[in-house]
Amino acid sequence: VLSASKVFIPHRRIQFHGGSHPQGNKEPKAIQKQESWFVKVVCTLFVYSQPSDDACLSYLNNNLTPLIEFEVVKWLKNPTFGLKFLELSRLNLNINHSFWTYNLLIRSFCCMGLYGSARLVFDYMKIDGHLPDSTLLGFMISSFGRAGEFGMARKLLAEVQSDDVMVTIFAVNNLLNMMVKQNNLEEAVSLYKENLGLNFNPDTWTFNILIRGLCRVGKVDQAFEFFNNMRSFGCFPDIVTYNTIINGLCREYEVDRGHSLLNEIRLRDDCAPNVVTYTSVISGYCKLGKMEEASALFDEMMSSGTLPSVVTFNVLIDGFGKVGDMLSAKSLYEKMASFGCIPDVVTFTSLINGYCQIGDVNRSFQLWDAMKVKNVSPNVYTFAITINALCKENRLCEACRFLRELQFRNIVPKPFIFNPVIDGFCKAGNLDEANRIVAEMEKKKCDPDKVTFTILIIGHCMKGRMLKAISIFDKMLSVGCPPDDVTVRSLISCLLKAGMPKEAYRISTITS
């Protein structure tokens, strides 16, 4: 009761989230002093004895009013007690309950996560001749949606529309947005199509929600169908619409289509491309390695008066680093300050990756020093890139130094950080050190992955430790890490060469 009372609205003057009553936007009237005394008597009577004799029920029937009944429910400070009182008065007393009683109970049950009880009160409300207002309806739909009760929310929408209750586009959009965020995209599209034939007029936000969800899962062509249908509903794409679909196209490597849409925006009078628009297309060109096109678009963005952001610089620096043009990458890094952009961990990691790719690992160490000076903390990829580059140059001791530094950082270790070091020691024939790294890895709650096991199996096979390789393979299966074809073929080949056909056959049978 005490915990419920914190959720149930206990104040004498109740306020309802901006809600409106269908009959004139009026809040319940304040009760008189003598009525307040009667409310306390009824509450006490109900809590301790649950009135059932005819004389008591007759007295309550003659003296209870909808306003007093509302105050009783409020004073009980527990929605479960309030519901019991509501049910008692509905069955045994001739009271026409007020909208505010239902409103209070529904909101309280939703806040407590008791959606079944909220739905029961809603059903009582309809039976007793009250229809919800748009605010209460929106609140219920949002509450069901946040809890993932999309079936309940959709059923509620269908019911109230058949009762000619106005459903605001805000409520529908809110539900669609929650469906998309919780990866229920197909259900969101289905809800949109269901409501088209009813009193539902989608707006630009409706289309933006669905387009964003479709682009996020790579269904850009289906997103374009919604994009092309907007005008038939009197909606016009805004900059959010364009940015969403351009970003979706560029993520699917259809950068030229994205660039065409950018040019389309530039021809419109009511919309203009912003830094997000340009950066999406620039990023698309960088991912394709088309740095000339990316640089040209960057210059075009600058000439249009659109200032670049840190993200714009980062995608360009990363793009130049991946094609080995570190002069251009370094030049952009040096320009950042003049545009008020402060380099972040992504900037430094991209530069470090670029230098490592061209084999200049020592230059990347200077960037680690610069990060310390600027108080920028490295992330998991900064460590992984550097460790991998050191292992490629067989500088395993230095790689281990970075692994030791990792334990002092607030970074969740991943197998791909350790795997290059384990691989390096295995190839060097130092299996004891490789096993030590694995033990250290497991000590940090980082479970070996498929690559880790494969490296160890092949490493032990190369040293002739076939039984150890088999035990590692068996452990791989026991922890639920399925081997791939490379692992299986390598182990079987080594077993056959070692004259162990029975073990090779067993491995083949297990994996098939």
Side-chain angles (χ1 to χ4, degrees):
V1 173
L2 288 174
S3 62
S5 68
K6 294 177 182 178
V7 178
F8 200 62
I9 305 170
H11 308 294
R12 289 284 299 159
R13 269 189 85 180
I14 187 166
Q15 294 182 348
F16 296 106
H17 309 286
S20 61
H21 184 210
Q23 289 118 21
N25 290 328
K26 293 181 180 178
E27 289 194 0
K29 296 177 181 179
I31 60 173
Q32 302 299 317
K33 190 172 182 180
Q34 62 273 20
E35 291 175 321
S36 178
W37 173 84
F38 182 59
V39 166
K40 294 178 183 179
V41 170
V42 174
C43 288
T44 305
L45 183 66
F46 175 75
V47 170
Y48 287 101
S49 65
Q50 298 267 336
S52 58
D53 61 276
D54 292 340
C56 185
L57 290 175
S58 176
Y59 178 77
L60 291 175
N61 188 50
N62 292 331
N63 290 277
L64 275 176
T65 65
L67 178 58
I68 291 176
E69 185 265 348
F70 167 72
E71 290 291 334
V72 169
V73 172
K74 189 169 64 170
W75 270 93
L76 285 170
K77 297 185 180 180
N78 184 307
T80 304
F81 282 176
L83 176 56
K84 286 182 179 179
F85 180 75
L86 176 74
E87 290 175 329
L88 173 72
S89 57
R90 286 182 78 252
L91 290 172
N92 300 308
L93 304 175
N94 187 25
I95 298 176
N96 182 21
H97 299 285
S98 72
F99 166 84
W100 298 107
T101 302
Y102 296 105
N103 183 68
L104 178 59
L105 285 171
I106 289 170
R107 288 174 179 271
S108 300
F109 279 126
C110 284
C111 289
M112 294 176 69
L114 301 174
Y115 303 106
S117 297
R119 180 65 216 223
L120 177 62
V121 176
F122 181 77
D123 291 338
Y124 287 153
M125 181 181 185
K126 287 181 64 180
I127 292 169
D128 291 347
H130 291 289
L131 292 177
D133 62 3
S134 59
T135 308
L136 176 59
L137 184 61
F139 176 81
M140 291 181 70
I141 291 170
S142 296
S143 298
F144 294 160
R146 277 192 297 271
E149 299 283 352
F150 297 123
M152 192 178 288
R154 290 176 69 172
K155 186 178 178 183
L156 178 63
L157 269 176
E159 283 182 22
V160 296
Q161 286 180 342
S162 64
D163 293 330
D164 293 328
V165 176
M166 191 187 93
V167 181
T168 64
I169 186 62
F170 177 82
V172 179
N173 285 344
N174 203 20
L175 181 58
L176 287 171
N177 193 37
M178 284 186 281
M179 286 177 170
V180 169
K181 283 185 176 180
Q182 295 184 38
N183 299 317
N184 285 275
L185 182 59
E186 290 185 8
E187 194 166 2
V189 173
S190 174
L191 174 67
Y192 163 81
K193 291 178 178 178
E194 279 177 11
N195 285 272
L196 276 183
L198 302 171
N199 187 21
F200 169 66
N201 294 311
D203 60 8
T204 301
W205 188 29
T206 314
F207 288 102
N208 286 348
I209 292 166
L210 295 169
I211 289 170
R212 185 186 75 238
L214 291 165
C215 287
R216 192 172 66 185
V217 297
K219 296 183 178 180
V220 185
D221 290 333
Q222 192 176 348
F224 252 105
E225 293 177 14
F226 283 97
F227 179 79
N228 294 328
N229 285 337
M230 290 181 72
R231 289 177 176 83
S232 62
F233 291 94
C235 303
F236 295 91
D238 57 13
I239 192 60
V240 175
T241 321
Y242 278 110
N243 285 347
T244 303
I245 206 157
I246 287 171
N247 184 55
L249 286 167
C250 293
R251 285 174 61 184
E252 294 298 311
Y253 302 101
E254 296 188 47
V255 187
D256 291 335
R257 286 177 72 187
H259 199 167
S260 298
L261 278 178
L262 188 152
N263 292 330
E264 179 182 313
I265 308 172
R266 296 179 65 195
L267 297 174
R268 287 183 54 173
D269 296 327
D270 59 339
C271 196
N274 58 20
V275 64
V276 177
T277 325
Y278 281 106
T279 301
S280 294
V281 183
I282 290 170
S283 177
Y285 281 128
C286 289
K287 286 176 182 175
L288 293 173
K290 296 183 176 182
M291 298 313 298
E292 288 185 15
E293 289 87 341
S295 297
L297 189 57
F298 179 76
D299 294 337
E300 180 186 310
M301 179 182 77
M302 300 282 285
S303 63
S304 71
T306 305
L307 295 177
S309 66
V310 174
V311 178
T312 316
F313 280 107
N314 284 347
V315 296
L316 281 165
I317 289 169
D318 184 63
F320 280 118
K322 284 178 177 173
V323 298
D325 186 357
M326 292 311 296
L327 286 175
S328 298
K330 187 74 183 299
S331 174
L332 282 166
Y333 165 70
E334 292 168 348
K335 286 180 181 177
M336 290 180 72
S338 61
F339 289 94
C341 297
I342 301 172
D344 58 13
V345 63
V346 178
T347 317
F348 285 108
T349 302
S350 297
L351 287 167
I352 288 169
N353 186 47
Y355 281 119
C356 287
Q357 285 202 355
I358 63 173
D360 197 348
V361 182
N362 292 332
R363 182 71 67 87
S364 73
F365 289 159
Q366 296 175 10
L367 291 163
W368 277 84
D369 295 335
M371 289 174 71
K372 289 180 183 177
V373 172
K374 295 181 181 292
N375 199 27
V376 177
S377 298
N379 62 21
V380 65
Y381 300 105
T382 322
F383 276 98
I385 289 164
T386 305
I387 289 170
N388 187 53
L390 287 168
C391 290
K392 283 182 179 179
E393 296 188 358
N394 205 29
R395 296 162 68 173
L396 298 177
C397 291
E398 291 173 87
C400 286
R401 179 172 62 82
F402 276 95
L403 279 181
R404 286 192 295 272
E405 184 180 340
L406 184 66
Q407 66 183 338
F408 300 109
R409 304 278 182 171
N410 189 24
I411 296 174
V412 178
K414 300 290 183 182
F416 60 78
I417 300 179
F418 296 90
N419 288 340
V421 186
I422 297 167
D423 186 53
F425 281 118
C426 284
K427 286 177 179 175
N430 193 346
L431 296 180
D432 292 338
E433 191 63 24
N435 289 331
R436 188 192 67 77
I437 298 293
V438 174
E440 187 68 25
M441 175 180 172
E442 291 176 327
K443 187 179 176 181
K444 294 174 181 175
K445 308 296 183 184
C446 179
D447 295 326
D449 63 2
K450 189 188 306 181
V451 178
T452 317
F453 282 113
T454 303
I455 291 168
L456 289 170
I457 289 167
I458 294 174
H460 282 82
C461 285
M462 293 299 100
K463 289 288 284 186
R465 299 180 180 179
M466 307 310 300
L467 294 178
K468 181 64 175 176
I470 293 169
S471 70
I472 293 171
F473 181 81
D474 290 338
K475 180 182 177 181
M476 184 180 187
L477 295 177
S478 67
V479 298
C481 181
D484 58 15
D485 289 341
V486 175
T487 315
V488 175
R489 284 201 306 267
S490 300
L491 180 56
I492 290 175
S493 175
C494 292
L495 288 170
L496 291 172
K497 288 178 183 177
M500 301 173 71
K502 288 184 179 179
E503 286 297 331
Y505 177 76
R506 184 180 75 85
I507 299 297
S508 177
T509 304
I510 291 172
T511 53
S512 63

